[in-house]
Amino acid sequence: MKYTFDIVGVSPLLQFFNHQQQNGQKSPHQGVEYLGMHTCTLDTFLESVESVPVKWDWNLDQVVDTVIQFWLNNSDSIGYWKVRLSDAGKDNLLVARLADITALQAEFESLLDKEW
């Protein structure tokens, strides 16, 4: 199985919480997880993904490797989001998406179906 990890934005804490609650009540696409964190460090990213493989029966080593590869290959993006998070203030979270690539593709396709 292949995984993807990306930073998707900065969100107010309550808005992120409400989004997570709404997704939990619906039948979300299995294998796509949105994570919110207060800091933008590799350690924080790694800590945030530790519980996800258990939930979806993923390979923890591959998930961790995916996050590390993102960190190594996207320094400009990471720097950008660090600044955005700092500018947003303490009541905001950095939102990242961790997903099984097949599940993410299904989520994108469902969004396109809803739009058209």
Side-chain angles (χ1 to χ4, degrees):
M1 192 177 312
K2 287 193 162 205
Y3 307 101
T4 180
F5 180 86
D6 198 13
I7 300 172
V8 295
V10 173
S11 173
L13 178 63
L14 289 177
Q15 185 176 350
F16 179 75
F17 177 76
N18 285 335
H19 178 267
Q20 294 293 81
Q21 290 295 103
Q22 289 173 357
N23 277 349
Q25 293 171 359
K26 298 176 187 174
S27 57
H29 291 284
Q30 196 168 9
V32 179
E33 197 72 35
Y34 291 90
L35 308 161
M37 45 210 123
H38 287 286
T39 59
C40 182
T41 66
L42 177 58
D43 289 343
T44 303
F45 287 150
L46 293 175
E47 287 174 19
S48 71
V49 302
E50 283 180 355
S51 64
V52 176
V54 173
K55 180 178 178 181
W56 301 117
D57 195 28
W58 288 349
N59 181 305
L60 178 60
D61 291 337
Q62 287 180 351
V63 168
V64 167
D65 186 57
T66 299
V67 174
I68 292 170
Q69 289 305 312
F70 174 86
W71 188 264
L72 293 174
N73 296 321
N74 295 283
S75 61
D76 290 344
S77 176
I78 292 165
Y80 172 83
W81 288 114
K82 276 185 180 182
V83 171
R84 296 290 73 77
L85 181 61
S86 176
D87 290 348
K90 65 179 177 145
D91 293 331
N92 291 279
L93 297 172
L94 185 64
V95 179
R97 177 184 57 229
L98 177 64
D100 161 8
I101 289 182
T102 305
L104 184 60
Q105 181 180 359
E107 181 175 282
F108 287 157
E109 288 173 358
S110 76
L111 290 173
L112 290 173
D113 288 344
K114 289 179 184 177
E115 293 293 320
W116 301 104

